[in-house]
Amino acid sequence: MADLPANGPSAATTGGSVRGGRPVEPGSTARQRTAEPAPGARRRPAGAVVAVKNVFVAESATFYTILGVTLFLVVFGVVMVLSSSSVEQYAATHDFFGAASRQGLYAVLGVPLMLIASRVPSRAWRKWAMGVLGAALLLQLLVYTPLGVNIQGNRNWIRIGSFSAQPSEAVKLGLALAVGAIMYVKREKLDNWKELFLPIGIAIVLPLGLVLLGGDQGTAMIMLILVLGALYVGGARAKHLLVVVGTIAVVLPFVTMTSASRSYRINAWLSGCTDSNQYQDLCWQPVHGMWALASGGVFGVGLGNSKAKWSWLPEADNDYIFAIIGEELGLIGAVVVLALFVVLAISMIKVIRQSRDPFVKTVTGGILAWIIGQALVNIAVVLGLLPVLGVPLPLISAGGSALIMTLVGIGVVLSFARDLPGKRSEDPGIDSRTTLHSGARSGAGATPRGPRTKGAQR
């Protein structure tokens, strides 16, 4: 009599085999029953596979939209900085690529910092919020030490050797995080304006005061837009915000009149630069910016063929780079740039709508108001809708500290986009059936169960 296998009855008596308590269909080979790999097949350690999959897990469509638009604008900005600065760079240093190579270096530094910031969880950003603002304020205080320098009448820069930076760009990020942390703590007391606006007022008075003390009213305006956007998205009451806006409208003219050059620029803008005596001075930049846009037409004169960059337009690679875009790439190129900022704004709004965390909503609203608001202000200045404020175009204009801190701010939003509650539902190929099946496997296993016996019940 043949011996039976030790793990159960034979296939001949049952019509199949039993593997670990589960029936196996008849006709299964011995290799399938023992789960042995085919000849020459390599064994994969399951733990390593799971770890790698967790690192490269698919993110939401919103995450990749923000990342893709940002990277495109950064690359486009380096190209436009090269085109707009090459003539003056060669005249000054006999090097066409001086400004563009620096901008490329800043991009190489900023993009990895953005990706690192995107891996930081939101709770860590909330924990570090006040620390980030404090560190940024310490850097801003260095402006009023011997390290600080004046550039075009504004004392808002520090210089160490050949390295220069604008600390107020870091203050913008610190403000967004700090307002978000305060709104998170006060989320149950939004109706009480004392509970909300007193700590926020304390948090923003010092940064705004330090920036205005240096004469940089354009940066201070962007900070106010950032704070108002964060408060609105965070759930502050509209009547309280209207009081704040009214107060700003009353105080702003007095702040403007403290600087004679700022007052002259605003008066020239209000008069439409019709005074011929102002053409060689206050109106030179806005008038030549409009001429550059007008000469571009619909299709532009071609990349690199700008005439305004031949020392006709001051700050062609910085504050007025949008004029060079309109001249070389025409109306189509200018509209494409506007459309990319609109896509970036819509993607950040999706993060706000899908998140349930007040901190995430508030910080994303602040960064959205900062980047998109600054872009709109810059473009409005070039179009003559606002007086010259000295505000660069985010991700495109030349400037290392502005580019790096803007990328880090977008990295913070990307870290929020990683943890959206509805992220898995956005991923293609993942549906309710996949979730149901995985839940069945994790709970009771994939083995069908038969009726229980009394012994099993006991």
Side-chain angles (χ1 to χ4, degrees):
M1 181 177 179
D3 294 334
L4 294 176
N7 61 345
S10 65
T13 60
T14 62
S17 65
V18 177
R19 186 189 318 151
R22 292 180 292 177
V24 178
E25 295 295 331
S28 298
T29 63
R31 188 183 310 279
Q32 292 173 335
R33 290 195 299 268
T34 57
E36 294 178 358
R42 300 176 62 184
R43 293 180 178 270
R44 294 182 178 180
V49 174
V50 172
V52 172
K53 286 183 178 179
N54 287 337
V55 172
F56 295 100
V57 63
E59 301 298 341
S60 65
T62 303
F63 177 94
Y64 287 116
T65 301
I66 296 174
L67 180 61
V69 171
T70 300
L71 293 178
F72 181 86
L73 286 174
V74 170
V75 174
F76 177 76
V78 173
V79 173
M80 291 311 303
V81 168
L82 172 61
S83 177
S84 58
S85 65
S86 57
V87 174
E88 293 191 357
Q89 281 291 307
Y90 184 79
T93 63
H94 295 282
D95 181 12
F96 287 107
F97 304 96
S101 60
R102 288 194 298 272
Q103 189 73 1
L105 176 61
Y106 298 142
V108 170
L109 294 174
V111 170
L113 289 176
M114 175 184 68
L115 297 177
I116 292 172
S118 71
R119 303 296 301 184
V120 179
S122 60
R123 62 181 180 276
W125 287 118
R126 187 169 65 244
K127 179 180 178 182
W128 300 338
M130 293 303 176
V132 172
L133 178 60
L137 290 177
L138 289 177
L139 291 176
Q140 185 66 28
L141 286 172
L142 294 178
V143 170
Y144 305 102
T145 67
L147 297 177
V149 293
N150 283 298
I151 297 180
Q152 296 182 354
N154 293 337
R155 190 177 181 87
N156 201 25
W157 296 78
I158 57 175
R159 177 170 294 165
I160 303 175
S162 60
F163 171 78
S164 61
Q166 193 173 7
S168 59
E169 295 296 330
V171 175
K172 294 176 184 177
L173 177 61
L175 266 179
L177 293 172
V179 173
I182 294 172
M183 293 291 285
Y184 180 83
V185 173
K186 303 293 184 179
R187 60 188 181 278
E188 304 295 338
K189 303 177 181 178
L190 297 181
D191 290 327
N192 190 337
W193 70 272
K194 292 182 179 179
E195 290 285 345
L196 180 61
F197 284 93
L198 286 180
I200 289 180
I202 295 172
I204 67 175
V205 163
L206 184 58
L208 284 176
L210 290 176
V211 172
L212 288 174
L213 185 62
D216 194 349
Q217 186 174 351
T219 299
M221 182 180 297
I222 300 303
M223 288 181 177
L224 287 175
I225 294 174
L226 183 158
V227 173
L228 290 175
L231 291 175
Y232 177 77
V233 174
R237 298 298 174 256
K239 59 182 180 181
H240 298 157
L241 292 178
L242 288 176
V243 173
V244 174
V245 172
T247 304
I248 294 172
V250 172
V251 174
L252 187 61
F254 296 98
V255 175
T256 301
M257 289 186 294
T258 57
S259 172
S261 62
R262 191 182 304 124
S263 301
Y264 293 151
R265 287 201 306 267
I266 294 177
N267 291 332
W269 169 71
L270 290 174
S271 65
C273 286
T274 55
D275 188 354
S276 59
N277 295 326
Q278 296 176 337
Y279 172 72
Q280 296 287 340
D281 185 16
L282 300 174
C283 293
W284 180 274
Q285 191 176 25
V287 167
H288 282 81
M290 291 296 294
W291 288 355
L293 284 172
S295 64
V298 177
F299 300 101
V301 298
L303 186 63
N305 294 328
S306 168
K307 296 180 178 62
K309 68 182 182 182
W310 289 75
S311 300
W312 289 104
L313 181 61
E315 301 296 332
D317 62 339
N318 197 334
D319 299 346
Y320 269 74
I321 196 170
F322 188 76
I324 304 300
I325 294 172
E327 183 184 8
E328 295 188 347
L329 303 180
L331 177 64
I332 295 177
V335 170
V336 168
V337 171
L338 282 172
L340 289 173
F341 279 110
V342 170
V343 172
L344 189 62
I346 293 174
S347 301
M348 290 187 181
I349 290 173
K350 287 184 178 180
V351 175
I352 294 171
R353 294 187 62 183
Q354 294 177 9
S355 177
R356 303 187 185 97
D357 188 342
F359 174 77
V360 171
K361 288 176 174 288
T362 306
V363 175
T364 305
I367 294 175
L368 168 64
W370 161 22
I371 297 175
I372 305 303
Q374 183 170 320
L376 294 178
V377 168
N378 175 272
I379 294 171
V381 168
V382 176
L383 295 177
L385 302 177
L386 288 175
V388 177
L389 295 172
V391 175
L393 186 60
L395 301 173
I396 297 179
S397 292
S401 51
L403 176 61
I404 290 175
M405 294 314 303
T406 302
L407 287 173
V408 173
I410 294 176
V412 173
V413 178
L414 289 175
S415 71
F416 299 156
R418 286 182 179 272
D419 299 327
L420 291 178
K423 184 182 73 171
R424 290 184 62 84
S425 62
E426 294 183 9
D427 294 338
I430 298 179
D431 54 15
S432 58
R433 291 176 298 173
T434 305
T435 306
L436 179 61
H437 292 169
S438 63
R441 284 194 298 269
S442 62
T447 306
R449 293 189 178 185
R452 293 185 178 181
T453 64
K454 293 182 179 180
Q457 292 174 352
R458 291 194 299 268

